[in-house]
């Protein structure tokens, strides 16, 4: 009887170990298969406020929130969720139905740039609108015509500003998109002449004043060969705000 109990206990222990190993392998395989690669790395938030969760599901806790028209870095997909990075270096998951993929070299950007060129500023946020107006005040005060807003160029400028925040750098050379000219070409922006100003500042007027007090930046603002612009302003936990203004002449 004692021998039978010992053998029986050993069989139960071995069986439990085998079951645990099988469950672990199945779980691991399922987890690996559920993640899939994406053909884009930047997404635009379309929801008014979007919760970023610690895992791919509403059962996971909220670790951050992002707002409409913010750009986020997208790493991978898992089911109906995207794994993203947001300002402050939070990594989490969001429902993919509220993220619009941004394709630098995709078919969504192959249209004629002229179709995206507008003279109104309805797509700008309040900060971008103010910078746009301040820049044009500088131009008209110096006898130059006001710049027109190019909606596609403005979108690219905002993506560049968000890229600097996400990747914690301050440079015309992006580790993601290359030079400003490389980036414009990737997004199918056509131009004869082009330039870029960048700034990190706590106020819109401070950013424009800093540009006007710098000979190189001032030269871009008062360049008569430029007739279109795109202004991108995003929040920065390090500087307050990150600014990118792209100029083109065509």
């Amino acid at each position: 009887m004692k021998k039978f109990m010992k053998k029986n206990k050993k069989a139960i222990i071995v069986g439990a170990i085998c079951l645990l190993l099988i469950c672990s392998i199945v779980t691991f395989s399922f987890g690996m298969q559920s993640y899939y690669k994406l053909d884009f790395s930047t997404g635009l938030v379309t929801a008014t406020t979007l919760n970023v969760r610690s895992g791919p599901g509403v059962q996971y806790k909220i670790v951050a929130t992002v707002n409409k028209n913010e750009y986020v870095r997208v790493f991978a997909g898992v089911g109906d969720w995207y794994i993203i990075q947001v300002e402050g270096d939070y990594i989490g998951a969001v429902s993919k139905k509220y993220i619009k993929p941004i394709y630098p070299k995709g078919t969504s950007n192959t249209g004629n740039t002229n179709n995206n060129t507008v003279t109104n500023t309805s797509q700008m946020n309040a900060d971008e609108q103010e910078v746009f107006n301040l820049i044009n005040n500088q131009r008209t005060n110096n006898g130059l015509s006001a710049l027109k807003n190019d909606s596609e160029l403005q979108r690219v400028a905002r993506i560049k500003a968000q890229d600097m925040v996400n990747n914690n750098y301050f440079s015309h050379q992006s580790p993601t998109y290359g030079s400003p000219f490389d980036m414009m070409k990737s997004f199918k922006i056509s131009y004869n002449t082009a330039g870029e100003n960048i700034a990190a500042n706590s106020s819109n007027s401070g950013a424009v004043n800093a540009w006007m007090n710098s000979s190189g930046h001032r030269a871009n603002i008062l360049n008569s060969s430029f007739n279109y612009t795109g202004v991108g302003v995003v929040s920065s936990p390090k500087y307050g705000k990150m600014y990118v203004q792209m100029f083109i002449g065509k």
Side-chain angles (χ1 to χ4, degrees), residues 42 71 102 154-164 166 169 177 183 187 232 234:
T42 302
Y71 289 93
I102 302 299
Q154 188 245 323
R155 186 173 71 89
V156 174
R158 191 185 292 168
I159 292 174
K160 171 65 180 290
Q162 190 66 59
D163 184 58
M164 286 198 289
N166 290 347
Y169 74 95
Y177 302 103
M183 188 174 184
F187 281 87
V234 301

Side-chain angles (χ1 to χ4, degrees), residues 152-222:
E152 182 69 3
L153 189 63
Q154 188 245 323
R155 186 173 71 89
V156 174
R158 191 185 292 168
I159 292 174
K160 171 65 180 290
Q162 190 66 59
D163 184 58
M164 286 198 289
V165 172
N166 290 347
N167 290 291
N168 193 29
Y169 74 95
F170 183 77
S171 172
H172 291 290
Q173 189 73 22
S174 165
T176 309
Y177 302 103
S179 72
F181 315 107
D182 293 333
M183 188 174 184
M184 290 182 198
K185 289 178 181 178
S186 294
F187 281 87
K188 309 302 180 184
I189 301 293
S190 61
Y191 59 86
N192 295 320
T193 57
E196 179 187 70
N197 283 352
I198 59 175
N201 207 292
S202 60
S203 73
N204 301 327
S205 59
V208 174
N209 288 338
W211 282 339
M212 291 303 294
N213 289 324
S214 166
S215 59
H217 297 92
R218 180 186 176 91
N220 276 339
I221 292 171
L222 302 181

Side-chain angles (χ1 to χ4, degrees), residues 18-55:
C18 291
L19 181 61
L20 179 61
L21 288 173
I22 291 170
C23 289
S24 299
I25 292 171
V26 170
T27 302
F28 177 75
S29 298
F30 175 77
M32 291 296 290
Q33 291 173 2
S34 65
Y35 286 88
Y36 52 89
K37 294 182 179 179
L38 302 170
D39 57 353
F40 65 95
S41 60
T42 302
L44 177 69
V45 178
T46 60
T48 302
T49 302
L50 183 59
N51 291 328
V52 182
R53 298 182 179 273
S54 61

